[in-house]
Amino acid sequence: MSAEQVMSNPTGSDSYANKTNVERDAGVEWWRDARFGMFIHWGVYAVPAGEYGGKVFTGASEWLMHQAKIPASEYRHFAEAFNPVAYDPETWVRAAVDAGMKYLVITAKHHDGFALFPSKASTWNVAEATPYGRDLLGPLVDACRRAGLRIGFYYSQAQDWFNGGSVFGEKWDPVQENDFDAYLDRVAIPQIRELLTTYGPDIPAVLWWDTPSDMTPDRAARVDAAVQAVAPGMLQNDRLGLIREQHPGHFDTPEQRIPANRPGRAWETCMTTNESWGFCASDNAWKPAALLIRQLCEVVSQGGNYLLNIGPRADGTFPEPSLAALREVGDWMRVNGEAVHGTSAGPFPYRLPWGFASRRDRMMYLMIDEWPVGGLLEVPLLDLPETAQLLSDPEAPVGFRIVDNVLRITLPASAPGAAVCVVALRFAAEPRIGNIPSRPRPPVIPQPADGSLALRAADAEIIGDHLSLLGGEDPFLGCWSSVDSHPLWRVSLHRAGTYRVEVIYAVPAHREGTVAEIRIGGQSLPFAATGTGGWGEFCRAPAGVVSLEPGEEVEMRVIPACVPVGAVMNLRAVLLTPCASNECKEEI
Ligand code: FHN
């Protein structure tokens, strides 16, 4: 397809280019209001699903071709088995809508170069390379349109291991020995035009670029020019070019994390529901729905969007654990969705000890993640609301008054449910913000007579904002998403000697390597949190031996060394057991 053909708008439809600026700006508004969307990573990698040559590959299954260095001539056989006869876009769209999502972004082409749409630019596409033999995007676009869901396309503009695009690291197949500029002209730019012109006006609603390796300013400008020629003002993320300042796009895309501070620009956290983006048969590290809800609340409270990923199976169905999580999130959204849709960041310039806040007009939504003791919630506001209501139980009595420059809200003594609970406050005018409520310092832990110490999650002082006490009756420290956050225990130690240190923790399977350092009384033990099987599968593992001197307030901390995908670990307790005389000497 030539540039001229594109300029003359081959669909003959009312293209994005024909819209006024006001209409196009309104197009960005919807994205800010949506707050919650579905990411879909789908391609032929769903066939091997993370396994090749009898070997299980962990991590992102859509990277299998790269991980296992599979030549294109072999990788193409996966397409011969890609026949998603159970693909029903209506079901996908219903799952998204029922979960409270307002938009969807699907991988039109990922790094393995396989296009989910018919393409004149490469035969490596669903219509020509698979027995299914027809477009996958068109029916999804139609289903989205019918349901009033916006649809965006992810397109790997740079990395393409099949069609001669860029390759991270070493190449492994002669088809990759190519001229990157020629690839852009031959494959990427024509396919981008196809995506912009095939599906009608306002489709896609977003272009989601990724991994801009080799995308110099000049190359990014060429791609952007091709986009602007067809769809001026097209909503785009920040991953088009290597130099972000030159092609910042409309929004930032923190991946698998929630930024500690509010970025100055629009932003969207994309997050997996297990550990892989594409379907991975061995990946059972499904995040509990309560965690997904918490992340959604945290993102929204910071003014961001939450793009939650699903990796469909090769037959076209969503994995059951994803569906179950979506259903639970949907149940929560039906009750609490007004705290999410159309809201902006909460007013507090600091983290709240009990959860998050968002607001819309005269409403403020308090999203309570940690139920306050006795149901007494302290909110750093200096003005009274007109009304206060628990969204999950509008009839429940909710009291409020100002005491010592703090708004005190009286809620039921115990949490009505496991997931985040929302209190809606209506104000007559913008309330004034007070000082951050200080977290009470937990008491010093006395050492029992037998000398053993159990440093439990619930007794820790939490340093930093990216670690929370979770788990209700069986608490653990979780949502540990920054190396700046850690637990601290203070112990009154009376027995000198050597102690065995053990950790009770949970992380998904396939984890390896040191993730934290346990610092006790000036000594340090590296801790490798190897896979336990899932975020809820706690196990007790040895961490080493320390030699301690008595002290009134001996500090014990677990300091993260890094944040692997998802979080550092879920930590239930650190245990110290005195060694019998001479027993541990050689281990120090
Ligand atoms: O390499 C990809 C990965 O497979 C996935 O698509 C994510 C989604 O944001 N982006 C890349 C890594 O940044």
Side-chain angles (χ1 to χ4, degrees), residues 39 41 62-63 110-111 154 208 210-211 239 255 270 277:
F39 212 177
H41 275 69
E62 71 281 2
W63 275 76
H110 204 266
H111 310 328
Y154 167 112
W208 218 101
D210 205 1
T211 57
R239 300 188 184 183
E255 180 170 322
C270 53
W277 298 92

Side-chain angles (χ1 to χ4, degrees), residues 49 155 179 233 311 361 411 471 515 517 519 545 569:
Y155 187 85
D179 172 346
D361 305 325
L411 299 166
V515 297
E517 190 189 308
R519 280 193 210 153
V545 172
M569 65 175 129

Side-chain angles (χ1 to χ4, degrees), residues 448-473:
D450 70 356
S452 63
L453 278 162
L455 310 178
R456 296 196 178 84
D459 300 326
E461 179 176 346
I462 294 175
I463 309 294
D465 291 329
H466 284 82
L467 178 64
S468 297
L469 186 66
L470 305 168
E473 305 227 312

Side-chain angles (χ1 to χ4, degrees), residues 121-472:
S122 165
T123 56
W124 183 226
N125 71 71
V126 64
E128 290 173 83
T130 75
Y132 191 71
R134 56 192 187 277
D135 187 16
L136 290 165
L137 297 187
L140 186 60
V141 167
D142 292 341
C144 284
R145 221 183 246 128
R146 280 193 287 275
L149 204 69
R150 308 270 184 162
I151 179 164
F153 295 150
Y154 167 112
Y155 187 85
S156 178
Q157 79 281 15
Q159 283 209 84
D160 189 323
W161 312 320
F162 203 103
N163 292 304
S166 163
V167 177
F168 260 168
E170 277 185 26
K171 298 174 176 168
W172 62 91
D173 186 331
V175 300
Q176 295 159 349
E177 298 302 337
N178 214 332
D179 172 346
F180 184 63
D181 286 300
Y183 154 79
L184 284 181
D185 290 334
R186 186 175 46 82
V187 181
I189 291 175
Q191 286 196 332
I192 292 161
R193 286 183 183 131
E194 287 172 339
L195 288 169
L196 292 170
T197 56
T198 303
Y199 300 104
D202 293 340
I203 306 290
V206 186
L207 270 179
W208 218 101
W209 311 113
D210 205 1
T211 57
S213 47
D214 292 329
M215 288 297 286
T216 58
D218 176 50
R219 288 166 176 160
R222 267 163 60 210
V223 172
D224 192 38
V227 172
Q228 300 304 329
V230 188
M234 165 62 63
L235 189 59
Q236 301 178 50
N237 75 354
D238 60 340
R239 300 188 184 183
L240 175 61
L242 273 175
I243 302 182
R244 217 175 129 270
E245 288 67 31
Q246 296 193 8
H247 289 279
H250 296 94
F251 59 94
D252 294 347
T253 50
E255 180 170 322
Q256 300 280 42
R257 67 186 176 85
I258 301 170
N261 300 308
R262 285 173 203 175
R265 301 184 346 118
W267 61 280
E268 173 187 72
T269 277
C270 53
M271 187 70 71
T272 49
T273 33
N274 50 355
E275 298 224 306
S276 175
W277 298 92
F279 174 65
C280 180
S282 64
D283 183 347
N284 288 313
W286 299 102
K287 294 175 186 145
L291 173 59
L292 303 177
I293 291 167
R294 183 189 191 278
Q295 290 180 340
L296 170 66
C297 293
E298 183 171 358
V299 166
V300 165
S301 76
Q302 301 267 66
N305 279 18
Y306 186 62
L307 190 65
L308 183 61
N309 184 71
I310 306 291
R313 290 197 195 82
D315 68 358
T317 58
F318 284 180
E320 186 47 44
S322 313
L323 279 172
L326 288 175
R327 280 193 291 269
E328 262 191 72
V329 172
D331 289 343
W332 186 88
M333 283 293 285
R334 269 182 287 286
V335 173
N336 301 291
E338 65 172 274
V340 173
H341 297 141
T343 59
S344 48
F348 305 104
Y350 39 70
R351 303 289 280 227
L352 298 161
W354 41 258
F356 318 101
S358 66
R359 59 183 160 165
R360 186 195 324 99
D361 305 325
R362 292 165 56 201
M363 301 301 295
M364 189 181 300
Y365 299 97
L366 310 178
M367 301 182 262
I368 307 168
D369 180 41
E370 228 180 283
W371 200 253
V373 176
L376 186 69
L377 188 74
E378 299 202 330
V379 188
L381 290 175
L382 305 177
D383 297 304
L384 282 174
E386 291 178 330
T387 61
Q389 195 180 45
L390 253 179
L391 292 185
S392 60
D393 186 359
E395 302 306 318
V398 176
F400 47 86
R401 62 198 172 113
I402 303 272
V403 181
D404 295 337
N405 285 334
V406 172
L407 172 63
R408 291 184 181 214
I409 300 188
T410 318
L411 299 166
S414 53
V420 175
C421 197
V422 179
V423 177
L425 306 180
R426 200 184 67 219
F427 289 90
E430 186 76 22
R432 291 166 300 149
I433 310 299
N435 294 328
I436 185 166
S438 55
R439 280 184 190 139
R441 186 179 140 161
V444 174
I445 300 166
Q447 187 174 26
D450 70 356
S452 63
L453 278 162
L455 310 178
R456 296 196 178 84
D459 300 326
E461 179 176 346
I462 294 175
I463 309 294
D465 291 329
H466 284 82
L467 178 64
S468 297
L469 186 66
L470 305 168

